[in-house]
Amino acid sequence: MDNSKRERLILVIDDHHDHLAVIKQVLADSTIPCQVFTVSSGSQAIDFLRHRGDYQQAPRPDLILLDSHLSDGNGQTVLSEVKTDESLRRIPTIVLSPTADRDSVINNYQRQCNSYVMKPQDLIHLQDVMQVIESFWLNIVTLPSN
């Protein structure tokens, strides 16, 4: 079966509503069909991934876009949860961060993020970055199947 054109399920974890709007628009314009799920906190993300609370029927995402600077401070917790859980660790997780300081980059790669991307705060530049992410992760990379 050719999985390249099947609908991709993407979990976006970000607490900036304007950033979410840009990310969702870029993914909606993708040549690969996408269903985008959004949560605004690390605790919601963990509930989504573990099918708890309001997310008991949540699907397993094919890709996770994680803002590392969530207001609840749980970005690193989410990454650790995903990459240490046998049932979740294969989900590619892209960390979006407003900083590229050496310690942050090293820390996220040590936690096994699949890529660490500078997240522009300017919405036009964010759209450009998201288009590159969409092109690479949805059109070039072969994602693992469930």
Side-chain angles (χ1 to χ4, degrees), residues 89-138:
R89 72 171 41 139
R90 286 185 305 149
I91 303 171
T93 304
I94 291 77
V95 171
L96 303 170
S97 177
T99 179
D101 71 86
R102 181 179 183 277
D103 291 340
S104 182
V105 173
I106 290 171
N107 184 29
N108 280 278
Y109 277 111
Q110 284 177 333
R111 293 175 191 262
Q112 303 300 308
C113 75
N114 295 88
S115 53
Y116 185 97
V117 177
M118 282 290 301
K119 178 181 168 189
Q121 298 305 299
D122 171 82
L123 298 180
I124 298 298
H125 289 109
L126 176 59
Q127 180 176 359
D128 294 341
V129 167
M130 284 307 305
Q131 287 170 336
V132 171
I133 290 171
E134 178 270 335
S135 176
F136 181 74
W137 285 98
L138 297 182

mmCIF file of all heavy atoms in Angstrom, residues 89-138:
data_model
loop_
_atom_site.group_PDB
_atom_site.id
_atom_site.type_symbol
_atom_site.label_atom_id
_atom_site.label_comp_id
_atom_site.label_asym_id
_atom_site.label_seq_id
_atom_site.Cartn_x
_atom_site.Cartn_y
_atom_site.Cartn_z
ATOM 1 N N ARG A 89 7.548 6.633 20.895
ATOM 2 C CA ARG A 89 8.877 7.136 20.513
ATOM 3 C C ARG A 89 9.128 7.215 19.024
ATOM 4 O O ARG A 89 9.977 7.974 18.573
ATOM 5 C CB ARG A 89 9.980 6.344 21.200
ATOM 6 C CG ARG A 89 10.172 4.943 20.685
ATOM 7 C CD ARG A 89 11.415 4.267 21.240
ATOM 8 N NE ARG A 89 11.584 4.552 22.634
ATOM 9 C CZ ARG A 89 11.958 3.695 23.561
ATOM 10 N NH1 ARG A 89 12.228 2.459 23.216
ATOM 11 N NH2 ARG A 89 12.077 4.040 24.803
ATOM 12 N N ARG A 90 8.394 6.447 18.223
ATOM 13 C CA ARG A 90 8.590 6.514 16.773
ATOM 14 C C ARG A 90 7.921 7.720 16.133
ATOM 15 O O ARG A 90 8.140 7.994 14.949
ATOM 16 C CB ARG A 90 8.066 5.244 16.102
ATOM 17 C CG ARG A 90 8.942 4.042 16.322
ATOM 18 C CD ARG A 90 8.453 2.842 15.555
ATOM 19 N NE ARG A 90 7.058 2.568 15.877
ATOM 20 C CZ ARG A 90 6.175 2.029 15.050
ATOM 21 N NH1 ARG A 90 6.537 1.673 13.848
ATOM 22 N NH2 ARG A 90 4.938 1.806 15.419
ATOM 23 N N ILE A 91 7.103 8.443 16.879
ATOM 24 C CA ILE A 91 6.444 9.620 16.312
ATOM 25 C C ILE A 91 7.490 10.728 16.161
ATOM 26 O O ILE A 91 8.061 11.183 17.152
ATOM 27 C CB ILE A 91 5.286 10.124 17.196
ATOM 28 C CG1 ILE A 91 4.244 9.035 17.435
ATOM 29 C CG2 ILE A 91 4.648 11.364 16.563
ATOM 30 C CD1 ILE A 91 3.190 9.399 18.474
ATOM 31 N N PRO A 92 7.766 11.160 14.935
ATOM 32 C CA PRO A 92 8.718 12.253 14.765
ATOM 33 C C PRO A 92 8.228 13.504 15.498
ATOM 34 O O PRO A 92 7.060 13.882 15.384
ATOM 35 C CB PRO A 92 8.749 12.474 13.254
ATOM 36 C CG PRO A 92 8.269 11.186 12.675
ATOM 37 C CD PRO A 92 7.271 10.650 13.671
ATOM 38 N N THR A 93 9.136 14.087 16.257
ATOM 39 C CA THR A 93 8.797 15.256 17.067
ATOM 40 C C THR A 93 9.732 16.394 16.706
ATOM 41 O O THR A 93 10.947 16.297 16.900
ATOM 42 C CB THR A 93 8.888 14.925 18.560
ATOM 43 O OG1 THR A 93 8.026 13.800 18.828
ATOM 44 C CG2 THR A 93 8.456 16.093 19.421
ATOM 45 N N ILE A 94 9.145 17.461 16.170
ATOM 46 C CA ILE A 94 9.897 18.635 15.768
ATOM 47 C C ILE A 94 9.715 19.684 16.848
ATOM 48 O O ILE A 94 8.588 20.092 17.161
ATOM 49 C CB ILE A 94 9.410 19.184 14.408
ATOM 50 C CG1 ILE A 94 9.759 18.221 13.272
ATOM 51 C CG2 ILE A 94 10.049 20.530 14.118
ATOM 52 C CD1 ILE A 94 8.907 17.043 13.165
ATOM 53 N N VAL A 95 10.818 20.108 17.435
ATOM 54 C CA VAL A 95 10.787 21.141 18.462
ATOM 55 C C VAL A 95 10.913 22.491 17.778
ATOM 56 O O VAL A 95 11.836 22.718 16.996
ATOM 57 C CB VAL A 95 11.912 20.938 19.498
ATOM 58 C CG1 VAL A 95 12.012 22.128 20.441
ATOM 59 C CG2 VAL A 95 11.680 19.649 20.276
ATOM 60 N N LEU A 96 9.970 23.371 18.075
ATOM 61 C CA LEU A 96 9.994 24.743 17.579
ATOM 62 C C LEU A 96 10.354 25.644 18.752
ATOM 63 O O LEU A 96 9.659 25.635 19.772
ATOM 64 C CB LEU A 96 8.628 25.129 17.015
ATOM 65 C CG LEU A 96 8.095 24.233 15.897
ATOM 66 C CD1 LEU A 96 6.647 24.550 15.596
ATOM 67 C CD2 LEU A 96 8.949 24.382 14.659
ATOM 68 N N SER A 97 11.428 26.394 18.604
ATOM 69 C CA SER A 97 11.908 27.191 19.722
ATOM 70 C C SER A 97 12.278 28.596 19.269
ATOM 71 O O SER A 97 12.853 28.767 18.186
ATOM 72 C CB SER A 97 13.135 26.526 20.345
ATOM 73 O OG SER A 97 13.657 27.326 21.381
ATOM 74 N N PRO A 98 11.978 29.599 20.111
ATOM 75 C CA PRO A 98 12.367 30.969 19.759
ATOM 76 C C PRO A 98 13.856 31.237 19.999
ATOM 77 O O PRO A 98 14.351 32.303 19.667
ATOM 78 C CB PRO A 98 11.500 31.827 20.680
ATOM 79 C CG PRO A 98 11.264 30.964 21.870
ATOM 80 C CD PRO A 98 11.189 29.558 21.337
ATOM 81 N N THR A 99 14.564 30.272 20.555
ATOM 82 C CA THR A 99 15.975 30.465 20.864
ATOM 83 C C THR A 99 16.823 29.341 20.285
ATOM 84 O O THR A 99 16.361 28.215 20.167
ATOM 85 C CB THR A 99 16.202 30.551 22.390
ATOM 86 O OG1 THR A 99 17.590 30.726 22.643
ATOM 87 C CG2 THR A 99 15.718 29.320 23.103
ATOM 88 N N ALA A 100 18.046 29.676 19.946
ATOM 89 C CA ALA A 100 18.967 28.656 19.437
ATOM 90 C C ALA A 100 20.196 28.580 20.330
ATOM 91 O O ALA A 100 21.280 28.244 19.868
ATOM 92 C CB ALA A 100 19.379 28.974 18.009
ATOM 93 N N ASP A 101 20.002 28.876 21.617
ATOM 94 C CA ASP A 101 21.162 28.816 22.494
ATOM 95 C C ASP A 101 21.660 27.376 22.568
ATOM 96 O O ASP A 101 20.887 26.413 22.520
ATOM 97 C CB ASP A 101 20.870 29.400 23.877
ATOM 98 C CG ASP A 101 19.950 28.536 24.708
ATOM 99 O OD1 ASP A 101 20.466 27.626 25.384
ATOM 100 O OD2 ASP A 101 18.718 28.779 24.680
ATOM 101 N N ARG A 102 22.951 27.237 22.649
ATOM 102 C CA ARG A 102 23.630 25.941 22.575
ATOM 103 C C ARG A 102 23.053 24.924 23.556
ATOM 104 O O ARG A 102 22.797 23.775 23.194
ATOM 105 C CB ARG A 102 25.122 26.154 22.830
ATOM 106 C CG ARG A 102 25.946 24.909 22.750
ATOM 107 C CD ARG A 102 27.435 25.217 22.998
ATOM 108 N NE ARG A 102 28.248 24.045 22.854
ATOM 109 C CZ ARG A 102 28.437 23.140 23.812
ATOM 110 N NH1 ARG A 102 27.862 23.276 24.979
ATOM 111 N NH2 ARG A 102 29.209 22.092 23.594
ATOM 112 N N ASP A 103 22.820 25.321 24.805
ATOM 113 C CA ASP A 103 22.314 24.386 25.812
ATOM 114 C C ASP A 103 20.926 23.866 25.473
ATOM 115 O O ASP A 103 20.629 22.691 25.662
ATOM 116 C CB ASP A 103 22.309 25.039 27.197
ATOM 117 C CG ASP A 103 23.711 25.278 27.737
ATOM 118 O OD1 ASP A 103 24.664 24.621 27.255
ATOM 119 O OD2 ASP A 103 23.857 26.127 28.632
ATOM 120 N N SER A 104 20.083 24.751 24.958
ATOM 121 C CA SER A 104 18.727 24.340 24.590
ATOM 122 C C SER A 104 18.755 23.346 23.432
ATOM 123 O O SER A 104 18.050 22.326 23.455
ATOM 124 C CB SER A 104 17.891 25.565 24.219
ATOM 125 O OG SER A 104 16.579 25.196 23.913
ATOM 126 N N VAL A 105 19.569 23.625 22.437
ATOM 127 C CA VAL A 105 19.681 22.723 21.290
ATOM 128 C C VAL A 105 20.184 21.355 21.748
ATOM 129 O O VAL A 105 19.590 20.321 21.434
ATOM 130 C CB VAL A 105 20.607 23.321 20.205
ATOM 131 C CG1 VAL A 105 20.870 22.305 19.095
ATOM 132 C CG2 VAL A 105 20.002 24.600 19.635
ATOM 133 N N ILE A 106 21.257 21.348 22.508
ATOM 134 C CA ILE A 106 21.829 20.083 22.991
ATOM 135 C C ILE A 106 20.823 19.328 23.853
ATOM 136 O O ILE A 106 20.638 18.120 23.693
ATOM 137 C CB ILE A 106 23.141 20.341 23.762
ATOM 138 C CG1 ILE A 106 24.230 20.776 22.781
ATOM 139 C CG2 ILE A 106 23.579 19.104 24.540
ATOM 140 C CD1 ILE A 106 25.495 21.273 23.437
ATOM 141 N N ASN A 107 20.167 20.036 24.767
ATOM 142 C CA ASN A 107 19.192 19.410 25.659
ATOM 143 C C ASN A 107 18.080 18.723 24.873
ATOM 144 O O ASN A 107 17.689 17.584 25.169
ATOM 145 C CB ASN A 107 18.622 20.448 26.625
ATOM 146 C CG ASN A 107 17.681 19.847 27.637
ATOM 147 O OD1 ASN A 107 17.806 18.697 28.014
ATOM 148 N ND2 ASN A 107 16.736 20.640 28.079
ATOM 149 N N ASN A 108 17.555 19.385 23.849
ATOM 150 C CA ASN A 108 16.460 18.797 23.066
ATOM 151 C C ASN A 108 16.915 17.608 22.236
ATOM 152 O O ASN A 108 16.190 16.620 22.116
ATOM 153 C CB ASN A 108 15.808 19.869 22.194
ATOM 154 C CG ASN A 108 14.844 20.710 22.975
ATOM 155 O OD1 ASN A 108 13.704 20.323 23.177
ATOM 156 N ND2 ASN A 108 15.299 21.854 23.469
ATOM 157 N N TYR A 109 18.108 17.676 21.675
ATOM 158 C CA TYR A 109 18.606 16.516 20.932
ATOM 159 C C TYR A 109 18.956 15.365 21.869
ATOM 160 O O TYR A 109 18.768 14.196 21.513
ATOM 161 C CB TYR A 109 19.794 16.887 20.042
ATOM 162 C CG TYR A 109 19.334 17.485 18.728
ATOM 163 C CD1 TYR A 109 19.554 18.829 18.438
ATOM 164 C CD2 TYR A 109 18.668 16.709 17.782
ATOM 165 C CE1 TYR A 109 19.120 19.380 17.243
ATOM 166 C CE2 TYR A 109 18.226 17.250 16.582
ATOM 167 C CZ TYR A 109 18.458 18.586 16.321
ATOM 168 O OH TYR A 109 18.023 19.125 15.132
ATOM 169 N N GLN A 110 19.417 15.668 23.069
ATOM 170 C CA GLN A 110 19.658 14.593 24.035
ATOM 171 C C GLN A 110 18.350 13.903 24.419
ATOM 172 O O GLN A 110 18.342 12.708 24.716
ATOM 173 C CB GLN A 110 20.352 15.133 25.288
ATOM 174 C CG GLN A 110 21.811 15.416 25.064
ATOM 175 C CD GLN A 110 22.496 16.014 26.274
ATOM 176 O OE1 GLN A 110 21.883 16.677 27.114
ATOM 177 N NE2 GLN A 110 23.790 15.783 26.364
ATOM 178 N N ARG A 111 17.259 14.633 24.381
ATOM 179 C CA ARG A 111 15.942 14.059 24.659
ATOM 180 C C ARG A 111 15.338 13.407 23.414
ATOM 181 O O ARG A 111 14.199 12.983 23.426
ATOM 182 C CB ARG A 111 15.004 15.119 25.208
ATOM 183 C CG ARG A 111 15.388 15.620 26.573
ATOM 184 C CD ARG A 111 14.465 16.774 26.991
ATOM 185 N NE ARG A 111 14.964 17.433 28.167
ATOM 186 C CZ ARG A 111 14.538 17.200 29.401
ATOM 187 N NH1 ARG A 111 13.579 16.325 29.601
ATOM 188 N NH2 ARG A 111 15.057 17.853 30.418
ATOM 189 N N GLN A 112 16.113 13.356 22.338
ATOM 190 C CA GLN A 112 15.763 12.649 21.108
ATOM 191 C C GLN A 112 14.748 13.349 20.214
ATOM 192 O O GLN A 112 13.982 12.678 19.496
ATOM 193 C CB GLN A 112 15.297 11.213 21.410
ATOM 194 C CG GLN A 112 16.296 10.378 22.170
ATOM 195 C CD GLN A 112 17.601 10.213 21.418
ATOM 196 O OE1 GLN A 112 17.591 9.829 20.267
ATOM 197 N NE2 GLN A 112 18.715 10.533 22.057
ATOM 198 N N CYS A 113 14.707 14.691 20.219
ATOM 199 C CA CYS A 113 13.853 15.353 19.234
ATOM 200 C C CYS A 113 14.364 14.981 17.846
ATOM 201 O O CYS A 113 15.538 14.651 17.676
ATOM 202 C CB CYS A 113 13.834 16.869 19.439
ATOM 203 S SG CYS A 113 15.316 17.757 18.902
ATOM 204 N N ASN A 114 13.492 15.001 16.864
ATOM 205 C CA ASN A 114 13.897 14.632 15.514
ATOM 206 C C ASN A 114 14.457 15.809 14.738
ATOM 207 O O ASN A 114 15.209 15.619 13.789
ATOM 208 C CB ASN A 114 12.730 14.008 14.758
ATOM 209 C CG ASN A 114 12.344 12.706 15.404
ATOM 210 O OD1 ASN A 114 11.533 12.685 16.324
ATOM 211 N ND2 ASN A 114 12.940 11.621 14.968
ATOM 212 N N SER A 115 14.064 17.005 15.129
ATOM 213 C CA SER A 115 14.704 18.207 14.618
ATOM 214 C C SER A 115 14.351 19.371 15.534
ATOM 215 O O SER A 115 13.330 19.367 16.215
ATOM 216 C CB SER A 115 14.356 18.512 13.156
ATOM 217 O OG SER A 115 12.986 18.536 12.937
ATOM 218 N N TYR A 116 15.261 20.328 15.544
ATOM 219 C CA TYR A 116 15.135 21.521 16.378
ATOM 220 C C TYR A 116 15.141 22.704 15.424
ATOM 221 O O TYR A 116 16.111 22.915 14.694
ATOM 222 C CB TYR A 116 16.320 21.595 17.346
ATOM 223 C CG TYR A 116 16.251 22.725 18.348
ATOM 224 C CD1 TYR A 116 15.771 22.486 19.627
ATOM 225 C CD2 TYR A 116 16.682 24.001 18.027
ATOM 226 C CE1 TYR A 116 15.725 23.508 20.565
ATOM 227 C CE2 TYR A 116 16.629 25.025 18.954
ATOM 228 C CZ TYR A 116 16.156 24.776 20.223
ATOM 229 O OH TYR A 116 16.097 25.789 21.151
ATOM 230 N N VAL A 117 14.047 23.444 15.409
ATOM 231 C CA VAL A 117 13.865 24.513 14.433
ATOM 232 C C VAL A 117 13.621 25.832 15.153
ATOM 233 O O VAL A 117 12.797 25.901 16.075
ATOM 234 C CB VAL A 117 12.657 24.197 13.512
ATOM 235 C CG1 VAL A 117 12.404 25.321 12.531
ATOM 236 C CG2 VAL A 117 12.862 22.872 12.792
ATOM 237 N N MET A 118 14.340 26.848 14.708
ATOM 238 C CA MET A 118 14.085 28.196 15.224
ATOM 239 C C MET A 118 12.685 28.627 14.784
ATOM 240 O O MET A 118 12.368 28.584 13.598
ATOM 241 C CB MET A 118 15.108 29.188 14.684
ATOM 242 C CG MET A 118 16.433 29.124 15.369
ATOM 243 S SD MET A 118 16.370 29.747 17.061
ATOM 244 C CE MET A 118 15.815 31.413 16.802
ATOM 245 N N LYS A 119 11.868 29.034 15.737
ATOM 246 C CA LYS A 119 10.498 29.454 15.452
ATOM 247 C C LYS A 119 10.457 30.981 15.434
ATOM 248 O O LYS A 119 10.531 31.613 16.482
ATOM 249 C CB LYS A 119 9.561 28.916 16.525
ATOM 250 C CG LYS A 119 8.122 29.321 16.350
ATOM 251 C CD LYS A 119 7.301 28.755 17.487
ATOM 252 C CE LYS A 119 5.947 29.344 17.551
ATOM 253 N NZ LYS A 119 5.243 28.945 18.769
ATOM 254 N N PRO A 120 10.343 31.556 14.238
ATOM 255 C CA PRO A 120 10.283 33.015 14.169
ATOM 256 C C PRO A 120 9.028 33.543 14.861
ATOM 257 O O PRO A 120 7.964 32.922 14.789
ATOM 258 C CB PRO A 120 10.217 33.315 12.670
ATOM 259 C CG PRO A 120 10.554 32.042 11.981
ATOM 260 C CD PRO A 120 10.255 30.936 12.935
ATOM 261 N N GLN A 121 9.151 34.658 15.526
ATOM 262 C CA GLN A 121 7.991 35.273 16.166
ATOM 263 C C GLN A 121 7.185 36.089 15.159
ATOM 264 O O GLN A 121 6.003 36.326 15.343
ATOM 265 C CB GLN A 121 8.433 36.127 17.354
ATOM 266 C CG GLN A 121 9.138 35.315 18.444
ATOM 267 C CD GLN A 121 8.307 34.151 18.948
ATOM 268 O OE1 GLN A 121 7.219 34.339 19.476
ATOM 269 N NE2 GLN A 121 8.803 32.931 18.777
ATOM 270 N N ASP A 122 7.833 36.513 14.096
ATOM 271 C CA ASP A 122 7.169 37.231 13.010
ATOM 272 C C ASP A 122 6.344 36.232 12.202
ATOM 273 O O ASP A 122 6.856 35.193 11.768
ATOM 274 C CB ASP A 122 8.241 37.895 12.130
ATOM 275 C CG ASP A 122 7.665 38.479 10.879
ATOM 276 O OD1 ASP A 122 7.126 39.606 10.944
ATOM 277 O OD2 ASP A 122 7.730 37.801 9.839
ATOM 278 N N LEU A 123 5.063 36.528 11.995
ATOM 279 C CA LEU A 123 4.161 35.564 11.371
ATOM 280 C C LEU A 123 4.493 35.260 9.914
ATOM 281 O O LEU A 123 4.305 34.126 9.456
ATOM 282 C CB LEU A 123 2.716 36.033 11.507
ATOM 283 C CG LEU A 123 2.203 36.155 12.951
ATOM 284 C CD1 LEU A 123 0.756 36.616 12.964
ATOM 285 C CD2 LEU A 123 2.367 34.852 13.705
ATOM 286 N N ILE A 124 5.023 36.223 9.185
ATOM 287 C CA ILE A 124 5.405 35.987 7.786
ATOM 288 C C ILE A 124 6.569 34.996 7.726
ATOM 289 O O ILE A 124 6.554 34.045 6.941
ATOM 290 C CB ILE A 124 5.788 37.306 7.074
ATOM 291 C CG1 ILE A 124 4.599 38.269 7.038
ATOM 292 C CG2 ILE A 124 6.323 37.024 5.667
ATOM 293 C CD1 ILE A 124 3.396 37.760 6.268
ATOM 294 N N HIS A 125 7.563 35.199 8.576
ATOM 295 C CA HIS A 125 8.702 34.281 8.602
ATOM 296 C C HIS A 125 8.292 32.911 9.155
ATOM 297 O O HIS A 125 8.806 31.883 8.713
ATOM 298 C CB HIS A 125 9.865 34.870 9.398
ATOM 299 C CG HIS A 125 10.512 36.011 8.689
ATOM 300 N ND1 HIS A 125 10.380 37.309 9.122
ATOM 301 C CD2 HIS A 125 11.262 36.050 7.567
ATOM 302 C CE1 HIS A 125 11.033 38.096 8.295
ATOM 303 N NE2 HIS A 125 11.576 37.361 7.342
ATOM 304 N N LEU A 126 7.358 32.899 10.099
ATOM 305 C CA LEU A 126 6.855 31.623 10.612
ATOM 306 C C LEU A 126 6.183 30.841 9.488
ATOM 307 O O LEU A 126 6.377 29.626 9.363
ATOM 308 C CB LEU A 126 5.877 31.845 11.769
ATOM 309 C CG LEU A 126 5.212 30.588 12.329
ATOM 310 C CD1 LEU A 126 6.242 29.593 12.850
ATOM 311 C CD2 LEU A 126 4.218 30.962 13.424
ATOM 312 N N GLN A 127 5.425 31.529 8.661
ATOM 313 C CA GLN A 127 4.785 30.858 7.525
ATOM 314 C C GLN A 127 5.846 30.256 6.600
ATOM 315 O O GLN A 127 5.705 29.112 6.161
ATOM 316 C CB GLN A 127 3.916 31.845 6.752
ATOM 317 C CG GLN A 127 3.219 31.218 5.573
ATOM 318 C CD GLN A 127 2.289 32.188 4.865
ATOM 319 O OE1 GLN A 127 2.138 33.341 5.251
ATOM 320 N NE2 GLN A 127 1.672 31.724 3.812
ATOM 321 N N ASP A 128 6.908 30.983 6.326
ATOM 322 C CA ASP A 128 7.988 30.469 5.475
ATOM 323 C C ASP A 128 8.617 29.211 6.077
ATOM 324 O O ASP A 128 8.840 28.216 5.377
ATOM 325 C CB ASP A 128 9.068 31.534 5.266
ATOM 326 C CG ASP A 128 8.577 32.746 4.477
ATOM 327 O OD1 ASP A 128 7.540 32.646 3.790
ATOM 328 O OD2 ASP A 128 9.232 33.804 4.568
ATOM 329 N N VAL A 129 8.905 29.251 7.376
ATOM 330 C CA VAL A 129 9.510 28.107 8.061
ATOM 331 C C VAL A 129 8.553 26.916 8.031
ATOM 332 O O VAL A 129 8.958 25.786 7.764
ATOM 333 C CB VAL A 129 9.918 28.479 9.503
ATOM 334 C CG1 VAL A 129 10.244 27.243 10.329
ATOM 335 C CG2 VAL A 129 11.097 29.437 9.487
ATOM 336 N N MET A 130 7.283 27.169 8.284
ATOM 337 C CA MET A 130 6.303 26.081 8.280
ATOM 338 C C MET A 130 6.157 25.452 6.893
ATOM 339 O O MET A 130 5.943 24.244 6.774
ATOM 340 C CB MET A 130 4.944 26.566 8.798
ATOM 341 C CG MET A 130 4.893 26.726 10.306
ATOM 342 S SD MET A 130 5.425 25.224 11.184
ATOM 343 C CE MET A 130 4.342 23.988 10.491
ATOM 344 N N GLN A 131 6.282 26.251 5.846
ATOM 345 C CA GLN A 131 6.200 25.689 4.501
ATOM 346 C C GLN A 131 7.372 24.748 4.230
ATOM 347 O O GLN A 131 7.208 23.714 3.587
ATOM 348 C CB GLN A 131 6.136 26.809 3.461
ATOM 349 C CG GLN A 131 4.794 27.506 3.470
ATOM 350 C CD GLN A 131 4.760 28.764 2.623
ATOM 351 O OE1 GLN A 131 5.779 29.388 2.361
ATOM 352 N NE2 GLN A 131 3.557 29.149 2.219
ATOM 353 N N VAL A 132 8.547 25.089 4.741
ATOM 354 C CA VAL A 132 9.706 24.203 4.590
ATOM 355 C C VAL A 132 9.502 22.926 5.403
ATOM 356 O O VAL A 132 9.763 21.817 4.925
ATOM 357 C CB VAL A 132 11.011 24.927 4.995
ATOM 358 C CG1 VAL A 132 12.180 23.957 5.040
ATOM 359 C CG2 VAL A 132 11.297 26.088 4.059
ATOM 360 N N ILE A 133 9.004 23.066 6.639
ATOM 361 C CA ILE A 133 8.722 21.893 7.474
ATOM 362 C C ILE A 133 7.690 21.005 6.794
ATOM 363 O O ILE A 133 7.866 19.787 6.699
ATOM 364 C CB ILE A 133 8.249 22.317 8.882
ATOM 365 C CG1 ILE A 133 9.413 22.926 9.668
ATOM 366 C CG2 ILE A 133 7.630 21.140 9.641
ATOM 367 C CD1 ILE A 133 9.006 23.568 10.981
ATOM 368 N N GLU A 134 6.635 21.607 6.291
ATOM 369 C CA GLU A 134 5.580 20.849 5.604
ATOM 370 C C GLU A 134 6.146 20.134 4.388
ATOM 371 O O GLU A 134 5.900 18.948 4.171
ATOM 372 C CB GLU A 134 4.443 21.800 5.204
ATOM 373 C CG GLU A 134 3.321 21.135 4.436
ATOM 374 C CD GLU A 134 3.528 21.139 2.933
ATOM 375 O OE1 GLU A 134 4.244 22.013 2.411
ATOM 376 O OE2 GLU A 134 2.968 20.231 2.269
ATOM 377 N N SER A 135 6.941 20.823 3.601
ATOM 378 C CA SER A 135 7.516 20.221 2.411
ATOM 379 C C SER A 135 8.406 19.032 2.770
ATOM 380 O O SER A 135 8.283 17.949 2.184
ATOM 381 C CB SER A 135 8.332 21.264 1.637
ATOM 382 O OG SER A 135 8.963 20.667 0.533
ATOM 383 N N PHE A 136 9.284 19.209 3.740
ATOM 384 C CA PHE A 136 10.212 18.152 4.116
ATOM 385 C C PHE A 136 9.506 16.990 4.809
ATOM 386 O O PHE A 136 9.616 15.842 4.376
ATOM 387 C CB PHE A 136 11.312 18.710 5.015
ATOM 388 C CG PHE A 136 12.331 17.684 5.420
ATOM 389 C CD1 PHE A 136 13.268 17.227 4.513
ATOM 390 C CD2 PHE A 136 12.347 17.163 6.701
ATOM 391 C CE1 PHE A 136 14.205 16.267 4.868
ATOM 392 C CE2 PHE A 136 13.279 16.207 7.072
ATOM 393 C CZ PHE A 136 14.215 15.756 6.159
ATOM 394 N N TRP A 137 8.760 17.279 5.877
ATOM 395 C CA TRP A 137 8.202 16.213 6.712
ATOM 396 C C TRP A 137 6.974 15.529 6.110
ATOM 397 O O TRP A 137 6.676 14.389 6.452
ATOM 398 C CB TRP A 137 7.895 16.718 8.118
ATOM 399 C CG TRP A 137 9.148 16.871 8.905
ATOM 400 C CD1 TRP A 137 9.857 18.018 9.123
ATOM 401 C CD2 TRP A 137 9.876 15.835 9.559
ATOM 402 N NE1 TRP A 137 10.988 17.741 9.860
ATOM 403 C CE2 TRP A 137 11.019 16.417 10.146
ATOM 404 C CE3 TRP A 137 9.678 14.469 9.688
ATOM 405 C CZ2 TRP A 137 11.947 15.672 10.856
ATOM 406 C CZ3 TRP A 137 10.601 13.731 10.409
ATOM 407 C CH2 TRP A 137 11.725 14.334 10.985
ATOM 408 N N LEU A 138 6.266 16.202 5.210
ATOM 409 C CA LEU A 138 5.077 15.564 4.624
ATOM 410 C C LEU A 138 5.271 15.134 3.181
ATOM 411 O O LEU A 138 4.544 14.263 2.705
ATOM 412 C CB LEU A 138 3.866 16.507 4.728
ATOM 413 C CG LEU A 138 3.437 16.863 6.149
ATOM 414 C CD1 LEU A 138 2.205 17.755 6.114
ATOM 415 C CD2 LEU A 138 3.180 15.626 6.980
#
